[in-house]
Amino acid sequence: MTARRRFLLASSLARLVQRERGGLRQIEGFFPEQPGRAALVRLEENKGLLILRTATSEGEVEEQAEVPMAHAHALLDVCAGEIAYDRTRLPIGDRVALIDQVIHPREVHLVTIEFDSDGEARDFRPLAWFGPEVTRDGRYATKSIAFAGLNESPDIPLSNTALESLIDTLENRFPSQARPHLRRPAANQAASGKPARNQAQSHDQTGKANLDEIEEAIMREMELTIQNKRPR
């Protein structure tokens, strides 16, 4: 059984995640809605899946069956609604964030976290780079976007806090993690001598270089976003 929480995401952050980690194009076609259940076909690379989702009192149960690609394309042609998006799976601690850049029927960027129970979902604390939560806003469910689209694409503002939080996530560092104590006892320092100091300096320089590359990529994405929004 699966519980989900979904958040909007600034487009520049979504593009940065995809640039750093890649993504997978997925197309989903939904059959006409039925109370308490949803049936859809999904195409991803060279795989076709027929999926049935059933709502229960404890969450959602999903069943999948792989079908030949020719059958998947034929089913997609008769679906009542369709959505296409690029998905990136980004680990955040012991969870995985699903970063979706929806490209059809309208552009929108979402981050979804899946849980084994409603209790785990309630206890989850969103990271600073997440945008507003839309878990209970039915317009942002994938099947709703597929059937009805969206009237407008929300503009999510950026902040230094959000950028720094995303950099921490990409470097596998999170607020709940305790930072290691790096200072060694004096006796160990004396015994280690210069080689240890040189090694520490080399590690610091490497970490700084990686951080600089990520920050440079973020600035490029922000500049592109600003340029695209200027009136022509």
Side-chain angles (χ1 to χ4, degrees):
M1 297 183 182
T2 303
R4 296 182 178 88
R5 290 182 66 179
R6 180 168 288 126
F7 307 82
L8 295 175
L9 185 61
S11 60
S12 295
L13 299 185
R15 291 174 61 187
L16 176 63
V17 171
Q18 186 182 50
R19 174 178 292 183
E20 292 293 318
R21 300 298 174 88
L24 177 67
R25 173 65 54 85
Q26 298 190 3
I27 301 174
E28 292 182 348
F30 286 80
F31 297 99
E33 289 188 274
Q34 300 179 28
R37 60 189 299 172
L40 64 141
V41 59
R42 176 188 295 161
L43 275 66
E44 51 182 51
E45 290 191 341
N46 296 320
K47 182 191 293 187
L49 295 172
L50 188 60
I51 300 172
L52 177 63
R53 294 174 180 163
T54 306
T56 71
S57 59
E58 298 180 357
E60 185 178 75
V61 177
E62 180 174 293
E63 300 175 79
Q64 297 185 358
E66 189 165 350
V67 297
M69 286 295 291
H71 294 184
H73 281 283
L75 290 170
L76 191 63
D77 289 340
V78 298
C79 284
E82 184 177 315
I83 182 172
Y85 54 90
D86 293 327
R87 169 165 289 181
T88 303
R89 301 176 67 88
L90 180 63
I92 52 170
D94 59 350
R95 299 286 174 191
V96 175
L98 306 176
I99 314 298
D100 293 333
Q101 297 191 69
V102 180
I103 56 178
H104 174 79
R106 190 183 184 101
E107 183 176 335
V108 65
H109 303 83
L110 302 164
V111 53
T112 303
I113 312 293
E114 296 183 340
F115 306 89
D116 295 330
S117 68
D118 287 337
E120 291 181 0
R122 287 192 299 269
D123 292 340
F124 176 75
R125 291 183 297 175
L127 300 182
W129 56 273
F130 291 12
E133 183 165 8
V134 292
T135 301
R136 300 186 182 280
D137 190 335
R139 294 176 301 169
Y140 294 98
T142 51
K143 67 177 182 180
S144 296
I145 297 175
F147 283 125
L150 288 168
N151 293 330
E152 59 182 9
S153 298
D155 187 14
I156 310 302
L158 290 173
S159 69
N160 287 336
T161 300
L163 293 176
E164 290 173 359
S165 175
L166 178 56
I167 291 173
D168 285 343
T169 302
L170 292 170
E171 294 184 340
N172 201 33
R173 292 187 287 118
F174 307 98
S176 59
Q177 293 178 333
R179 297 293 181 89
H181 186 59
L182 298 180
R183 181 177 297 175
R184 297 180 180 180
N188 288 350
Q189 287 182 349
S192 61
K194 282 188 177 180
R197 288 198 297 271
N198 292 338
Q199 185 178 6
Q201 291 174 356
S202 176
H203 176 76
D204 290 343
Q205 290 172 355
T206 302
K208 185 177 185 303
N210 292 338
L211 182 60
D212 289 343
E213 290 175 1
I214 294 174
E215 290 179 338
E216 184 179 350
I218 290 173
M219 295 305 298
R220 288 197 299 268
E221 291 295 341
M222 293 178 65
E223 290 174 1
L224 286 173
T225 300
I226 293 172
Q227 291 173 3
N228 291 336
K229 290 181 178 179
R230 287 176 178 169
R232 299 180 182 273

